[in-house]
């Protein structure tokens, strides 16, 4: 989007009754593009256009035969672009695939970009989208993880890198940010359900240069919390840190998640579980159940707090929706 351009009204755009050239229509459709929110930047969202009449303008193009244009190829590209613009204005679930860049702060107040691909979203593949609590947690990692983890690092650094596991990684923001912050001092395994892992792996490859520069080792794989009852892993296969953002949205999730943490978290008081999740009314009982279950298996909270973020679902007036989130850092109560 070009901020120097004056705001447009649909009447300023090429009108179909004048039989405009394909290039003119495509340019207009480009100017109607809606940028997705990236949580941290609440301002640069919509194209600079008065929304009145835009949907009608777009449906007009989609339903026109565009008979004055020379080729089917040109007609198809215009219909495609107009449908995409219409989808962008129909809410987050209707959005086609998008790529977003998230800025993650380092401890020295510089930041680094993490680029993520998000395929089109449906209700059964929530891991294709980056959720607000993962953005807040990724930004928080440099702040609150480093002091206690320096201890960990001094314990392990000579022997092996710190091993971190992300559960329900989705698009991978938290794990990729963690890996970039820790560089060669950590190896990070990002996991999710089988249908989510290909995009997760793609996102790791999109950030190849960043990970190479920081010397980070990142792998991806399937880890389904609902599959329980396998043989207990050896302690050396377990993880020093388990990360999870926005992992609870079904009544089974607290039990499955805590069982998975119990299975994969290395024993000892240096180990950490780092969680962040939205405090949405409908899921508060699951958050409380998670806390109870974590305590029942012998984990205790070292630090926790609440913060507010903005989801990329819009409220009716087009402003970003505020979301209260809870972050927490846990360790084993006893060695
Ligand atoms: C709301 S999304 C959060 C994704 C990501 N952490 C974020 O905050 O952007 C929940 C994630 O949990 C994953 N998930 C749900 N059930 C799971 C299970 N049984 N095993 C592993 N992952 C699961 C989903 O696939 C999805 O990626």
């Amino acid at each position: 989007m070009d901020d120097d351009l004056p705001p447009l009204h649909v009447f300023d755009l090429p009108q179909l009754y004048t039989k405009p050239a394909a290039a003119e229509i495509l340019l207009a459709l480009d100017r109607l593009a809606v940028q997705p929110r990236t949580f941290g930047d609440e301002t640069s969202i919509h194209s600079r256009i008065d929304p009145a009449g835009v949907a009608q303008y777009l449906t007009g193009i989609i339903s026109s035969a565009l008979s004055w244009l020379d080729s089917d190829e040109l007609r198809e590209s215009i219909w495609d672009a107009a449908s995409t613009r219409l989808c962008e204005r129909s809410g987050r679930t209707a959005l086609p695939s998008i790529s977003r860049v998230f800025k993650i702060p380092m401890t020295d107040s510089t930041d680094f970009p993490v680029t993520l691909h998000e395929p089109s979203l449906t209700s059964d593949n929530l891991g294709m989208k980056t959720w607000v609590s993962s953005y807040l947690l990724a930004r928080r990692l440099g702040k609150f993880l480093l002091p206690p983890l320096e201890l960990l690092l001094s314990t392990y650094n000579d022997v092996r890198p710190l091993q971190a596991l992300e559960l329900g990684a989705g698009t991978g923001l938290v794990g990729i940010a963690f890996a970039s912050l820790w560089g060669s001092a950590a190896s990070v395994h990002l996991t999710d359900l089988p249908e989510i892992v290909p995009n997760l792996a793609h996102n790791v490859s999109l950030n190849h240069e960043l990970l190479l520069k920081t010397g980070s080792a990142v792998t991806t794989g399937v880890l389904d919390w609902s599959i329980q009852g396998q043989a207990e892993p050896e302690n050396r296969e377990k993880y020093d840190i388990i990360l999870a953002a926005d992992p609870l949205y079904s009544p089974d999730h607290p039990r499955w998640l805590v069982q998975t943490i119990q299975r994969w978290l290395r024993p000892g008081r240096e180990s950490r579980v780092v969680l962040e999740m939205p405090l949405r009314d409908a899921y508060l009982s699951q958050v409380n159940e998670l806390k109870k279950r974590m305590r029942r298996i012998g984990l205790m909270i070292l630090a926790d707090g609440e913060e507010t973020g903005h989801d990329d679902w819009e409220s009716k007036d087009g402003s970003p929706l505020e979301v209260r989130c809870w972050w927490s850092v846990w360790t084993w109560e006893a060695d």
Side-chain angles (χ1 to χ4, degrees):
M1 188 178 5
D2 188 342
D3 283 339
D4 296 334
L5 293 172
L8 289 174
H9 188 278
V10 279
F11 297 139
D12 301 323
L13 301 175
Q15 302 298 313
L16 294 190
Y17 69 85
T18 66
K19 303 190 177 168
E24 262 186 274
I25 308 177
L26 285 167
L27 187 68
L29 290 172
D30 247 19
R31 296 187 76 184
L32 289 175
V34 174
Q35 304 300 318
R37 286 183 195 289
T38 50
F39 303 121
D41 178 6
E42 266 75 55
T43 53
S44 60
I45 299 143
H46 288 102
S47 63
R48 291 165 60 78
I49 179 125
D50 182 340
V54 173
Q56 207 177 357
Y57 181 75
L58 293 171
T59 46
I61 293 176
I62 294 164
S63 59
S64 162
L66 303 176
S67 52
W68 64 94
L69 299 180
D70 291 338
S71 70
D72 283 344
E73 210 181 348
L74 279 176
R75 282 187 273 276
E76 290 291 345
S77 57
I78 290 172
W79 288 325
D80 277 358
S83 310
T84 303
R85 297 293 90 87
L86 201 58
C87 283
E88 288 167 355
R89 283 155 203 279
S90 312
R92 181 59 182 82
T93 44
L95 265 185
S97 295
I98 53 172
S99 287
R100 298 202 263 184
V101 178
F102 296 88
K103 284 191 183 155
I104 305 302
M106 310 272 288
T107 40
D108 62 2
S109 76
T110 59
D111 52 40
F112 59 87
V114 176
T115 307
L116 300 177
H117 178 68
E118 302 184 0
S120 190
L121 187 68
T122 63
S123 57
D124 59 355
N125 63 9
L126 300 185
M128 299 299 198
K129 171 183 144 42
T130 308
W131 296 82
V132 61
S133 55
S134 71
Y135 174 68
L136 295 178
L137 181 56
R139 291 182 62 84
R140 178 167 279 285
L141 286 174
K143 248 189 259 167
F144 76 163
L145 268 185
L146 293 180
L149 290 184
E150 270 161 9
L151 250 181
L152 251 183
L153 192 57
S154 62
T155 314
Y156 290 130
N157 200 25
D158 295 338
V159 188
R160 59 170 179 79
L162 183 101
Q163 280 164 320
L165 169 71
E166 186 179 3
L167 298 173
T171 58
L173 180 59
V174 169
I176 294 172
F178 184 88
S180 307
L181 284 165
W182 278 74
S184 58
S187 71
V188 186
H189 189 47
L190 312 187
T191 65
D192 209 297
L193 292 171
E195 57 274 26
I196 304 299
V197 171
N199 185 60
L200 183 57
H202 176 62
N203 281 340
V204 172
S205 66
L206 280 181
N207 292 281
H208 175 73
E209 266 179 41
L210 170 70
L211 296 170
L212 199 67
K213 202 165 71 187
T214 52
S216 326
V218 179
T219 52
T220 56
V222 172
L223 200 166
D224 182 343
W225 323 324
S226 69
I227 300 175
Q228 300 289 334
Q230 311 104 314
E232 176 76 3
E234 303 268 343
N235 275 353
R236 63 181 166 76
E237 295 172 282
K238 295 187 178 180
Y239 293 87
D240 306 298
I241 293 200
I242 295 183
L243 304 156
D246 204 349
L248 306 180
Y249 55 92
S250 113
D252 291 318
H253 281 159
R255 178 168 50 89
W256 289 346
L257 196 73
V258 174
Q259 282 170 344
T260 307
I261 290 169
Q262 184 173 28
R263 177 177 160 78
W264 287 106
L265 186 65
R266 182 166 281 138
R269 299 196 60 160
E270 295 90 1
S271 297
R272 299 283 185 276
V273 181
V274 179
L275 305 174
E276 179 133 8
M277 56 199 72
L279 295 174
R280 296 197 169 96
D281 287 348
Y283 299 108
L284 282 182
S285 63
Q286 292 173 20
V287 176
N288 289 331
E289 187 186 337
L290 173 108
K291 288 183 190 171
K292 270 191 216 139
R293 286 183 177 274
M294 293 282 274
R295 292 197 175 101
R296 221 179 285 153
I297 64 165
L299 288 164
M300 63 174 203
I301 292 182
L302 279 178
D304 72 339
E306 290 185 18
E307 58 191 330
T308 301
H310 294 93
D311 214 334
D312 53 359
W313 312 91
E314 288 178 359
S315 58
K316 286 205 178 90
D317 64 1
S319 59
L321 279 182
E322 263 194 10
V323 185
R324 211 65 208 132
C325 292
W326 172 66
W327 60 265
S328 56
V329 182
W330 301 71
T331 188
W332 293 114
E333 222 165 340
D335 274 323

